[in-house]
Amino acid sequence: MKTLLKSTVIAGLSLTFVGEALATEWNVSVWGTRRAFTEHIHKLAELVEEKSGGEFTMNISYGGLSKNRENLDGISIGAFEMAQFCAGYHRDKNPTITVLELPFLGVANLEEEVAVSHAVYDHPAVQADLGRWNAKLLMTSPMPQYNIAGTGNARDKLADFDGMRVRATGGLGQAFEKVGAVPTSVTSSEAYNAMESGVVDTVAFAQHAHLSFRTIDIADWWTENLNPGTVNCPVVVNTDAYDDLSDEHRAILDESVAGAIDHYLANYGELLNKWEEVLAEKEVQKITVDEAEIAKFREVALPLHQEWIQTMTDQGIPGQELYDLVLSTLEKKRMSN
C-alpha cells in the first residue's frame, strides 16, 4: 500500500511538472505608455496567448524592467525575453540597421517601411550584428516620416534651421546638423521637458509620439511635409529564450507576427486620420514647407548616404549591399501594389 501511494504521489508530481514545463511566460521591456507605437506588441501577446490556449503569455512592462537606451543590453544578458529599442539610441551597437535611419530614403508610407525593415532584418550581416547581443530581430515598429513641432516663429525655410535646437536622433540628427541646426538626442520621455524649458526649440517625432509625449500640447506649429526620414525601432527577442521555446510555441510566435503588424498598421491609420482634428483642437498651426526648400535640404543631406556606406565598409560591414537592398525592396514593393 505504501509503495502504491508513493508511486501515485510521484506520478502526480510528474504531471504537475510536465504541465508547468508547457507554460511559457515572457517579460517584455518597452517604455513610455501604451500607444500606437506599441500596439503590435500587445496584439502579438494577445495572439500568442489565444493560439497557445493560455500556455504562452507575455508581461509587457513600461519602464519597469529597463531604461529605453538599455533594452538591448538587457536582452543580451537575458534580463527579459523581448524588448523594443530604437537604432539611433546606440548606433555603435547596431550599425547595420542604421541604414534604415538615413535621411530622405524616399519611404512613402508605413507599408513600405515594414517591407524595407524586414528585408534588412533578414540579411545575414544584420542578423550577425544583432547576434552579438544575443538578440533575434522579430518585427519592426513602423513609423511615418518625422516632422517637427516647435515653439515661437515657424521655421519653414532652410535658413531658419540655422542654430535651431532640435530633438532628433540618428540620421535625422545628422541631416539637421548639415543645415546648421543643433541636434540633441534626449530620450522621447525627456522631450516635453526639454521643449518646455527651452533646451530645444523643436522636436522631430512621428505623430503618435508628439501625442504620447505631449510635445504637441506646447507646440505653436508643426511641419506637415518636411518628411526628412524616420527612426527604426525593432522588437527583438533573446536568442536563448527563442531557442528554448517548444516547437509549437516557436511556430505560434513566428506566425503571429504578420497579424500583429496588420493590427499596428490599421491602428496607426486611424491615428493619422484624426491628426487634423488634433492640430485644430490644440490650436497648432500647420506649416507647409515649400518643395524648393525641401529639395535644398535633401541635396545637403544626401551625401550622408555615401558617408554611411563608406563608414560601414571600413568596419567590414556590407554597407553598399544593405543600402541597395533598401532601394530594391522599395522598388519591388511599389511594383507589387
Side-chain angles (χ1 to χ4, degrees):
M1 178 62 73
K2 288 182 179 179
T3 302
L4 178 61
L5 181 61
K6 183 177 181 181
S7 299
T8 303
V9 170
I10 291 173
L13 287 172
S14 298
L15 286 172
T16 300
F17 292 148
V18 168
E20 289 178 352
L22 289 173
T24 301
E25 185 177 10
W26 274 15
N27 289 316
V28 184
S29 181
V30 292
W31 67 93
T33 58
R34 182 170 179 173
R35 56 203 188 281
F37 179 67
T38 59
E39 275 305 306
H40 57 331
I41 298 175
H42 286 273
K43 187 63 176 180
L44 184 73
E46 176 188 317
L47 291 171
V48 164
E49 183 170 1
E50 178 185 312
K51 293 178 181 179
S52 68
E55 289 295 337
F56 188 177
T57 57
M58 296 180 180
N59 298 319
I60 302 170
S61 173
Y62 284 87
L65 298 173
S66 174
K67 295 178 180 178
N68 50 3
R69 292 179 184 270
E70 298 171 4
N71 271 343
L72 188 54
D73 300 277
I75 283 289
S76 70
I77 62 173
F80 31 81
E81 289 79 15
M82 183 184 292
Q84 186 178 37
F85 68 89
C86 294
Y89 282 163
H90 34 59
R91 298 170 63 80
D92 57 322
K93 292 181 181 178
N94 42 240
T96 54
I97 59 174
T98 60
V99 65
L100 296 162
E101 296 193 335
L102 289 173
F104 295 106
L105 279 174
V107 178
N109 53 51
L110 294 181
E111 288 78 8
E112 290 184 358
E113 186 66 33
V114 172
V116 296
S117 293
H118 285 177
V120 168
Y121 294 174
D122 287 341
H123 193 284
V126 178
Q127 294 179 357
D129 185 15
L130 273 296
R132 297 180 299 137
W133 304 96
N134 207 21
K136 173 181 170 57
L137 289 150
L138 188 66
M139 60 181 176
T140 189
S141 309
M143 288 184 285
Q145 296 290 292
Y146 272 33
N147 274 284
I148 56 176
T151 55
N153 295 329
R155 299 173 186 261
D156 58 358
K157 293 181 175 58
L158 208 60
D160 298 334
F161 293 166
D162 189 28
M164 178 181 73
R165 296 163 297 171
V166 57
R167 186 274 176 190
T169 62
L172 293 184
Q174 292 179 314
F176 280 112
E177 192 170 22
K178 285 279 189 181
V179 292
V182 183
T184 178
S185 58
V186 297
T187 66
S188 51
S189 301
E190 299 168 325
Y192 178 91
N193 288 338
M195 193 172 180
E196 184 182 44
S197 64
V199 171
V200 297
D201 310 302
T202 58
V203 170
F205 270 157
Q207 286 91 328
H208 79 273
H210 279 306
L211 281 172
S212 298
F213 297 106
R214 299 175 49 228
T215 47
I216 204 67
D217 291 354
I218 53 176
D220 296 313
W221 51 271
W222 172 80
T223 60
E224 67 167 341
N225 67 326
L226 189 60
N227 299 339
T230 191
V231 174
N232 193 262
C233 302
V235 176
V236 294
V237 298
N238 173 274
T239 303
D240 295 331
Y242 180 82
D243 291 342
D244 286 343
L245 289 173
S246 67
D247 291 344
E248 179 188 5
H249 286 178
R250 194 180 306 112
I252 286 173
L253 178 64
D254 291 343
E255 71 186 23
S256 296
V257 168
I261 290 290
D262 286 344
H263 172 76
Y264 181 106
L265 295 176
N267 182 76
Y268 212 113
E270 292 178 10
L271 183 152
L272 294 178
N273 289 337
K274 296 176 182 176
W275 184 246
E276 294 291 333
E277 297 175 18
V278 171
L279 296 178
E281 175 191 334
K282 299 183 182 296
E283 299 181 345
V284 175
Q285 182 184 6
K286 185 169 64 174
I287 301 299
T288 302
V289 181
D290 189 273
E291 287 298 328
E293 295 295 320
I294 296 174
K296 292 179 189 175
F297 193 6
R298 186 184 298 110
E299 184 180 357
V300 172
L302 280 180
L304 288 169
H305 293 199
Q306 288 303 317
E307 290 175 22
W308 182 89
I309 291 169
Q310 188 60 55
T311 299
M312 294 302 108
T313 302
D314 291 345
Q315 295 178 31
I317 293 170
Q320 186 69 58
E321 188 175 327
L322 291 172
Y323 181 76
D324 291 344
L325 176 61
V326 172
L327 300 186
S328 64
T329 302
L330 268 179
E331 184 178 357
K332 289 177 184 176
K333 178 65 177 174
R334 287 167 183 169
M335 289 177 64
S336 67
N337 290 339

